Amino acid sequence: MKIVHVLTRLLRGGSEENTLACCLAQAGHGHEVLLVHGREYDPGLRASVAGALRVVTLEDLINPISPSRDISAFRQLTRLMRDWRPDIVHTHQSKAGIIGRLAAEQANIPGIVHGVHILPFVHVSNTQRLIFLAAERLAARCTRAFIDVSQAMRDICVANHLGGPDQHHVVHSGFDLARFANAQWPEETHLLLGTAAGEPKPPVVLMLAALEPRKRHVELIEAFGQVVDRIPNVRLLLAGEGPARSAVASAIERSAFAKNVRMIGYHGEPEKLISLADVCVLTSMREGLPRVVMQYLAGGRPCVVSHLPGVEEVVTHGVNGIVTPVDNVSAAAASVADLLENERYRARLADGARLTDLSSWGLDAMCDRVETIYRSVQASALSAARPNVTRGILGGTAKRASRLHRPISTGRF
């Protein structure tokens, strides 16, 4: 099978890691895989997969709306797909999802699949919602299958007329479960925490998330004062990289409790950071069903998370975590402080986290399920093509017959 994956950005986020895991598994199974990503990318991440599959960068594929660049990216993608003739085009993220699917249709690619990692029309202004919905509905017309990261994502799509129920398939964003369940603390923890060597570990709160505005790092820093007031030696670790780095750094600098907040950037062993944490948090205002929450649970850590679509599929309030209103970061900070002060409650939630059934989040389960969907899409496309071919043959025969039996005009001279 020839497979093209299209991403808007190739950064160190959940949707990118999910996509790369699929790409590597598909290449390992003998498929020809091409990864196309836009202008924003992490060079190290790109280099890590370049040896296993072909990778192409499109400079005009960017996240903000830009009519001239969007048209250019559409044309480049169309040419690339016409030249490469893939069996499957699998798009990810909002901008690449729209442009990539329209380009695949223009190139007459029969198997068009879209991964629903996040919904761009959720928790935005009414104007943005109308624009995003119109674009998504246009692209949905040429989409044979949707792969949703959660049941809630699927339900929202269907309710908004983005494909029919039979086109949607829920596939959880897989990862190596054992890696998180068996992790140990990172080396030289005192450097991460800003404490003296040999000093007892202070209470640690971890947020593992790309530095993007929708994750609301700045708002969490601003609300974290109430945690420091109750637990003065607490440390907030912010692990991740992204376009909002300067805004997050500025928020720390102007904070009265800057010494309690540590921005540590990208960390190659997130499982060790989770093992170090007493409480894990995610304050996103817009997500799919974030894989990092499952990583928190796999690491046996209680979590405080925003009430995102689908989060109730894995986080049960008061059993393995705390779910707070999506529009109230202050409530998340208060819940963090409550857990840090109540060791018995925290231990109970940690036990609940360890007992959470995450079997459907395994890496192999995800990759196998995606390939099964691809096969189904191929079969469906082939089945749909047969009547068209038949009609074309019969139509051509009928036309030829009508020409043969058409009366000869005598005309007038």
Side-chain angles (χ1 to χ4, degrees):
M1 210 181 327
K2 296 180 73 174
I3 305 163
V4 173
H5 289 268
V6 189
L7 280 162
T8 310
R9 300 185 294 188
L10 186 60
L11 302 175
R12 294 188 182 273
S15 62
E16 292 95 325
E17 291 177 0
N18 169 293
T19 302
L20 292 182
C22 281
C23 287
L24 293 173
Q26 289 158 6
H29 290 163
H31 302 302
E32 292 183 67
V33 182
L34 169 63
L35 174 65
V36 182
H37 65 80
R39 182 180 208 165
E40 291 182 73
Y41 68 95
D42 182 305
L45 193 59
R46 189 185 196 279
S48 70
V49 298
L53 48 117
R54 183 183 170 194
V55 184
V56 172
T57 302
L58 289 187
E59 289 290 329
D60 287 332
L61 182 55
I62 60 175
N63 192 47
I65 294 174
S66 171
S68 61
R69 286 184 178 274
D70 295 345
I71 292 170
S72 176
F74 167 78
R75 289 172 175 167
Q76 291 177 60
L77 276 170
T78 301
R79 284 197 299 270
L80 184 151
M81 292 176 192
R82 281 176 175 162
D83 290 342
W84 215 60
R85 301 305 306 167
D87 302 294
I88 297 289
V89 170
H90 188 166
T91 62
H92 311 263
Q93 302 170 342
S94 300
K95 176 65 83 68
I98 293 164
I99 293 178
R101 281 180 283 170
L102 296 179
E105 182 188 39
Q106 184 71 13
N108 293 317
I109 306 304
I112 302 175
V113 178
H114 180 56
V116 184
H117 303 271
I118 189 172
L119 294 171
F121 53 86
V122 174
H123 296 139
V124 295
S125 69
N126 287 335
T127 301
Q128 289 175 308
R129 174 181 169 79
L130 291 174
I131 292 171
F132 287 136
L133 264 177
E136 289 287 347
R137 285 171 179 164
L138 177 64
R141 294 177 184 175
C142 59
T143 309
R144 285 199 174 270
F146 297 84
I147 297 179
D148 309 284
V149 296
S150 72
Q151 183 68 34
M153 292 287 103
R154 173 205 176 275
D155 293 345
I156 293 171
C157 285
V158 172
N160 284 278
H161 311 293
L162 301 178
D166 59 335
Q167 291 178 275
H168 284 265
H169 309 268
V170 176
V171 180
H172 290 149
S173 185
F175 61 96
D176 184 347
L177 296 171
R179 176 182 170 189
F180 288 82
N182 303 317
Q184 303 296 317
W185 286 10
E187 296 179 1
E188 299 184 319
T189 58
H190 67 285
L191 297 179
L192 288 174
L193 300 175
T195 58
E199 182 180 335
K201 181 185 83 69
V204 175
V205 178
L206 171 69
M207 179 145 138
L208 190 61
L211 302 180
E212 299 178 0
R214 65 186 174 89
K215 307 285 187 176
R216 296 192 294 192
H217 293 82
V218 172
E219 291 86 342
L220 177 60
I221 293 166
E222 292 171 348
F224 201 69
Q226 60 185 294
V227 183
V228 178
D229 288 343
R230 294 164 62 179
I231 305 99
N233 65 333
V234 67
R235 293 293 188 274
L236 172 61
L237 288 187
L238 303 176
E241 284 291 355
R245 182 181 179 84
S246 61
V248 175
S250 296
I252 295 172
E253 289 174 8
R254 64 176 178 264
S255 171
F257 44 87
K259 66 181 180 62
N260 297 87
V261 184
R262 308 283 294 176
M263 184 169 63
I264 63 175
Y266 169 73
H267 196 284
E269 297 176 309
E271 70 281 6
K272 293 188 175 183
L273 297 179
I274 293 171
S275 73
L276 182 64
D278 296 284
V279 176
C280 296
V281 63
L282 187 68
T283 54
S284 302
M285 67 181 296
R286 192 171 67 255
E287 292 269 10
L289 181 50
R291 183 175 59 169
V292 69
V293 173
M294 268 47 69
Q295 292 173 344
Y296 292 163
L297 297 175
R301 293 297 178 268
C303 56
V304 176
V305 300
S306 301
H307 191 190
L308 300 163
V311 74
E312 68 279 354
E313 295 175 33
V314 286
V315 180
T316 302
H317 184 82
V319 175
N320 58 0
I322 301 294
V323 181
T324 58
V326 73
D327 59 351
N328 194 341
V329 176
S330 181
S335 294
V336 167
D338 290 343
L339 282 177
L340 291 177
E341 286 187 332
N342 191 333
E343 184 176 354
R344 181 175 295 180
Y345 187 29
R346 190 171 73 248
R348 192 171 83 226
L349 295 186
D351 288 340
R354 281 187 285 271
L355 292 172
T356 304
D357 181 8
L358 298 173
S359 56
S360 64
W361 294 84
L363 193 57
D364 290 341
M366 176 186 73
C367 295
D368 290 346
R369 180 80 175 108
V370 168
E371 183 151 342
T372 298
I373 293 167
Y374 286 179
R375 297 292 185 192
S376 175
V377 166
Q378 275 192 302
S380 174
L382 183 61
S383 176
R386 285 190 184 118
N388 292 335
V389 171
T390 303
R391 283 195 297 271
I393 294 171
L394 294 178
T397 303
K399 287 178 182 177
R400 286 192 295 273
S402 67
R403 285 197 297 268
L404 288 173
H405 294 91
R406 186 182 300 150
I408 299 173
S409 175
T410 56
R412 294 180 67 132
F413 297 93

